[in-house]
Amino acid sequence: MTTRETQLTSAQEALKTGRFAEGLALARALLESAPEDGEALYLAAVAARYCKTFTEAEVYLDRLHAAMPEYGRAWQEAGHLALAQGHKAAALAAFQRATRFNPALEASWREQARLLAASGRAGEANMATFQQQRLARLPRELVAVTNHLAEGRLLRAEENCRHYLRAHPARDANHVEGMRLLARIGIEFGVLEEAEFLLDSALAFRPDDVQIRLDYIDVLRRRQNFAKARAEAEALYLRDPDSPVFQSRLAIESMQSGDYERGLALFDQVLEKLPGDPANLTSKGHALKTTGASAEAIASYRAAIAAKPDHGDAWYALANLKTYRFPDDEVERMQMQAARGDLAFMDRVHIAFALGKAHEDRGEYAASFAAYDQGNRLKRAQTRYSADAMSAELARQKEACTAELFAQHEGAGHHAPDPIFILGLPRAGSTLLEQILASHSQIDGTLELPNILALAHRLRGRRVGENRYPQVLHDLTAEQLAGFGEDFIANTRIHRAGAPFFIDKMPNNFRHIGLIHLILPNAKIIDARRDPMDCCFSGFKQLFAEGQEFTYGLTEVGRYYADYVTLMDHWDAALPGKVLRVQHEDVLDDLEGETRRMLDFLGLPFEPACLDFHKTQRAVRTASSEQVRQPINRKGQGAWKPFEPWLDELKAALAV
């Protein structure tokens, strides 16, 4: 045990046995050598409260909130401190924030129930009491799992949860909750197939459990099984059509399945009951943006901000329109929020990226880069992305997916000609190519489909730490390859509108071209490529909804681009003629020529509608949705040049 761990243990023991002054002294000593130590700050705040040195406790909590703004226990302690000083309203707000960040804090639910009941808010008090009693009934092992999950300790959460499930058979009253928690952990890890199986099984034991059903809908949506997710949401809605929770969930699932009229109507019903709810106002804005109703989307985002000025999701949604320009007062309001020490982590990230866009539009490039850099540093620390690990992963594709492998499996796979894969890096112009091709009468545009990535994950193996992919491709039979291809066609049919061909524009599929060729040998593949500095810096400026962790650092995104080019060179050598490369700058120079070139590659006749792509009425669900609704332009070309003084890391990684 280290000296720090020994001191922490001593301080904790002192607090447990009521020796608060001693505990405070030990915590102070720890903070002298490590001023930002979160555990020491928490212990110091607790000890100072018990010693009734309230101002000192507030100082420790302010520092803890600044370092860990979403640490639920810190907000619970803030609630206890406010109560000790007689500040009931502040205490209630702190306890509510505590359970938002960590729903396993029983004391926070109990105090909320008491404070809400005292202020005449009986309905909310009953809900808090229900949550407190639910936690009280759970075994301590599962409460610990919930704590670990809320505080980001996923490996410990998984280990503890699996141990509990092994030790307690299915007849145990809490086994189903353990299954639900393991599914939530799986969702965080991205193991969606296992999470869906666990939740499906849990529902067989407890079909009326609303929380399990909500989690089940969540995983179905993440797996892009939108029809089933909507059916589940519809079933919940029919239980209680007046429930804002069920209305909101059905609205989201209706949007995902393309029923925008129903979804927007449901959002309006929710907002009649909860007129200032920022989450629903923002979700409605996203839906309006997807359908091209930009002015209405902006109004909805602004209403969300008016209701909750620190709602970073809405601020960034405005920036992410790409065409929106922030007026002076909005920039000042964002800066005020960014200066807050207690701003929640993702609100801070969202506002940093939004400020980056606002300053860039004004030509304030130093301030813009500083904001983008802050947002990226926060996300990079959260994701813990390793460029070395990614380089090694891509190198394994070159080692395993050789010309000999493809010769070995020649003639295998499912021979459907339907899929068109547009791949490469995000922000490389793939949405533009999709919009051009989806304007053709014989091609459906769909989504960034997860099916290939999910199959690659399955092929890794099920044991923890195991990774048999891509080497396992040498061991697959012709029947297995054909089955995988047939499954892909069947499972993606839900996204199609009836055209003979359809597009999957998941950019990361470039890592798996070998797998695609083996299971779908007649699929067409287009590599959307863009100038490396433009592509990488555009990715650095973009806050992605999920994935694309390589973009949150200049060195990281530059190395990823270089690795991508190297792997694409390998595919060209191992599968000559399989991939059509389309350079974004060539499309800008000669739209008709490059459009005809793509259609010739696909074996389709030219249609003039492809040149009028910006007039095509379809939902576009990427960050470029507003840009591809405009005629072709060069607004993004050379956008990195004003930032050149700060881009040495990127240049070095790209060797330019």
Side-chain angles (χ1 to χ4, degrees), residues 334-408:
M334 279 194 286
Q335 289 171 329
M336 287 175 59
Q337 295 302 321
R340 286 175 46 184
D342 64 345
L343 192 63
F345 176 81
M346 278 311 300
D347 289 325
R348 188 173 299 283
V349 171
H350 279 119
I351 289 174
F353 276 92
L355 279 170
K357 175 68 164 56
H359 288 302
E360 181 180 3
D361 289 340
R362 293 157 172 259
E364 299 163 353
Y365 298 114
S368 175
F369 183 81
Y372 284 135
D373 190 49
Q374 182 195 23
N376 277 285
R377 280 189 285 105
L378 289 167
K379 283 294 290 181
R380 190 163 64 251
Q382 180 194 49
T383 61
R384 299 175 184 174
Y385 170 81
S386 167
D388 289 339
M390 180 56 69
S391 294
E393 180 179 324
L394 298 184
R396 285 194 292 273
Q397 290 285 337
K398 293 188 293 180
E399 294 165 7
C401 297
T402 60
E404 291 74 21
L405 170 68
F406 300 128
Q408 171 191 337

Side-chain angles (χ1 to χ4, degrees), residues 430-491:
S430 59
T431 303
L432 174 60
L433 300 189
E434 180 197 36
Q435 185 77 348
I436 291 168
L437 294 178
S439 301
H440 195 284
S441 63
Q442 297 188 53
I443 303 175
D444 285 331
T446 61
L447 300 165
E448 295 181 357
L449 303 176
N451 303 67
I452 295 295
L453 303 185
L455 175 58
H457 186 87
R458 280 171 54 199
L459 292 172
R460 293 168 69 98
R462 290 192 174 274
R463 288 197 294 270
V464 176
E466 182 179 37
N467 187 3
R468 300 177 61 226
Y469 175 79
Q471 192 60 39
V472 71
L473 296 176
H474 289 266
D475 304 325
L476 298 176
T477 66
E479 291 76 14
Q480 286 175 307
L481 294 172
F484 291 144
E486 190 173 357
D487 287 345
F488 178 88
I489 297 299
N491 294 336

Side-chain angles (χ1 to χ4, degrees), residues 243-264:
S243 164
V245 173
F246 297 164
Q247 288 173 336
S248 178
R249 188 56 60 102
L250 182 56
I252 291 168
E253 304 314 329
S254 296
M255 294 290 181
Q256 292 287 2
S257 58
D259 189 349
Y260 300 104
E261 184 176 352
R262 175 95 184 277
L264 287 167

Side-chain angles (χ1 to χ4, degrees), residues 517-528:
H517 177 72
L518 289 172
I519 69 171
L520 294 162
N522 291 332
K524 301 294 186 181
I525 300 175
I526 296 174
D527 172 25

Side-chain angles (χ1 to χ4, degrees), residues 496-530:
R496 301 173 63 176
F501 303 94
F502 72 100
I503 297 169
D504 175 351
K505 67 171 294 288
M506 173 63 75
N508 297 337
N509 280 338
F510 83 85
R511 306 177 195 172
H512 308 292
I513 287 176
L515 173 62
I516 292 171
H517 177 72
L518 289 172
I519 69 171
L520 294 162
N522 291 332
K524 301 294 186 181
I525 300 175
I526 296 174
D527 172 25
R529 191 167 296 189
R530 185 180 177 190

Side-chain angles (χ1 to χ4, degrees), residues 71-270:
Y71 184 35
R73 291 181 188 276
W75 288 106
Q76 178 170 270
E77 178 55 30
H80 289 315
L81 179 61
L83 277 183
Q85 299 175 86
H87 305 320
K88 293 183 179 179
L92 176 58
F95 288 129
Q96 288 175 324
R97 184 172 280 200
T99 52
R100 187 164 78 245
F101 295 141
N102 184 350
L105 297 173
E106 186 183 348
S108 287
W109 287 117
R110 183 171 55 249
E111 292 298 338
Q112 281 182 66
R114 186 175 64 80
L115 291 166
L116 287 164
S119 61
R121 295 158 68 177
E124 294 170 86
N126 290 339
M127 181 62 72
T129 298
F130 170 80
Q131 294 291 351
Q132 182 267 319
Q133 292 175 346
R134 186 184 68 83
L135 285 170
R137 288 192 298 269
L138 281 181
R140 58 181 179 80
E141 297 97 326
L142 292 185
V143 174
V145 169
T146 308
N147 269 309
H148 291 320
L149 179 57
E151 294 175 4
R153 296 183 294 274
L154 298 182
L155 290 174
R156 287 186 66 185
E158 181 182 22
E159 180 184 357
N160 290 3
C161 197
R162 289 190 185 279
H163 176 76
Y164 179 86
L165 289 172
R166 285 193 297 267
H168 297 80
R171 63 179 178 272
D172 180 86
N174 293 298
H175 189 86
V176 172
E177 178 63 10
M179 294 170 67
R180 188 189 74 80
L181 287 171
L182 188 58
R184 291 304 315 172
I185 296 164
I187 289 171
E188 292 298 319
F189 276 126
V191 187
L192 300 180
E193 187 176 13
E194 181 179 350
E196 181 181 348
F197 173 78
L198 283 164
L199 291 167
D200 194 31
S201 302
L203 283 172
F205 287 106
R206 203 179 292 168
D208 294 326
D209 190 306
V210 170
Q211 188 57 60
I212 295 174
R213 203 160 289 278
L214 288 171
D215 289 346
Y216 188 49
I217 293 168
D218 182 27
V219 77
L220 289 171
R221 185 192 326 111
R222 289 171 186 261
R223 297 200 70 197
Q224 297 194 357
N225 191 344
F226 299 134
K228 192 170 182 181
R230 182 178 179 177
E232 290 288 337
E234 189 82 56
L236 273 183
Y237 171 77
L238 291 174
R239 289 189 190 185
D240 183 2
D242 292 325
S243 164
V245 173
F246 297 164
Q247 288 173 336
S248 178
R249 188 56 60 102
L250 182 56
I252 291 168
E253 304 314 329
S254 296
M255 294 290 181
Q256 292 287 2
S257 58
D259 189 349
Y260 300 104
E261 184 176 352
R262 175 95 184 277
L264 287 167
L266 284 163
F267 276 131
D268 286 340
Q269 289 180 34
V270 174

